[in-house]
Amino acid sequence: MSLYVWALAIVLAAGPATAGETLSLDTSLKLAQSALDACQAKGFAASAAVVDATGLPKVVLRADGQVKPPVAAPKKAATAAAFNQAGSEMEPREKTDPAFAATIAAHPDTYNDHPGSIPLHRDGVLIGGLAIADVPHDVADACVREALARNPL
């Protein structure tokens, strides 16, 4: 499935964005680029995505040198937003929570619960998700956390 078709499917599934959206394009770009920069500093070319609270992509970037299409990052970011939990917490949860595991398995084109994703909050309110993909999970997790630390919401 092409990235365009996948993105369109997410848009149709999620419905319209909320009128009170609080995650700007500028902030999304800064977060995604900062996450890519953090991975680059560790020697990795990655893909990054930022989604809004409904899981709709705001930004999807692929670093120079990354040959894989940026498919996993938007799924990871959408999963962090959908479950309001970091991938580093969800992957172990999948092993101990059969209902959660079934939900993830039932939606392979939507969800990816691997480390490297975090939900984004402003004033305690979920506003989106940030993810890095196509690098080792521990690196991805460190990169998204560094990006958020450099760009507080």
Side-chain angles (χ1 to χ4, degrees), residues 86-115:
S88 60
E89 298 165 355
M90 287 187 284
E91 190 174 54
R93 177 181 170 192
E94 188 176 13
K95 294 173 176 71
T96 61
D97 183 341
F100 178 72
T103 299
I104 296 297
H107 302 284
D109 292 333
T110 305
Y111 295 140
N112 180 329
D113 65 348
H114 294 161

Side-chain angles (χ1 to χ4, degrees), residues 29-51:
L29 283 167
K30 286 177 184 172
L31 285 165
Q33 186 63 60
S34 184
L36 289 179
D37 292 345
C39 282
Q40 187 67 44
K42 296 174 186 339
F44 293 94
S47 295
V50 176
V51 300

Side-chain angles (χ1 to χ4, degrees), residues 4-153:
Y4 173 76
V5 172
W6 179 82
L8 180 59
I10 293 292
V11 169
L12 294 175
T18 60
E21 182 179 331
T22 59
L23 187 58
S24 71
L25 178 59
D26 184 57
T27 297
S28 300
L29 283 167
K30 286 177 184 172
L31 285 165
Q33 186 63 60
S34 184
L36 289 179
D37 292 345
C39 282
Q40 187 67 44
K42 296 174 186 339
F44 293 94
S47 295
V50 176
V51 300
D52 66 17
T54 68
L56 292 174
K58 292 287 288 187
V59 174
V60 178
L61 300 175
R62 182 173 59 108
D64 293 340
Q66 177 50 255
V67 297
K68 291 182 177 181
V71 175
K75 290 180 186 181
K76 289 169 75 170
T79 306
F83 294 95
N84 196 16
Q85 197 170 28
S88 60
E89 298 165 355
M90 287 187 284
E91 190 174 54
R93 177 181 170 192
E94 188 176 13
K95 294 173 176 71
T96 61
D97 183 341
F100 178 72
T103 299
I104 296 297
H107 302 284
D109 292 333
T110 305
Y111 295 140
N112 180 329
D113 65 348
H114 294 161
S117 63
I118 53 173
L120 299 172
H121 299 92
R122 181 179 292 128
D123 299 326
V125 176
L126 178 71
I127 60 170
L130 168 64
I132 281 284
D134 306 319
V135 300
H137 291 162
D138 60 330
V139 173
D141 195 60
C143 293
V144 294
R145 293 176 190 282
E146 287 177 33
L148 184 57
R150 289 184 190 139
N151 299 279
L153 301 170

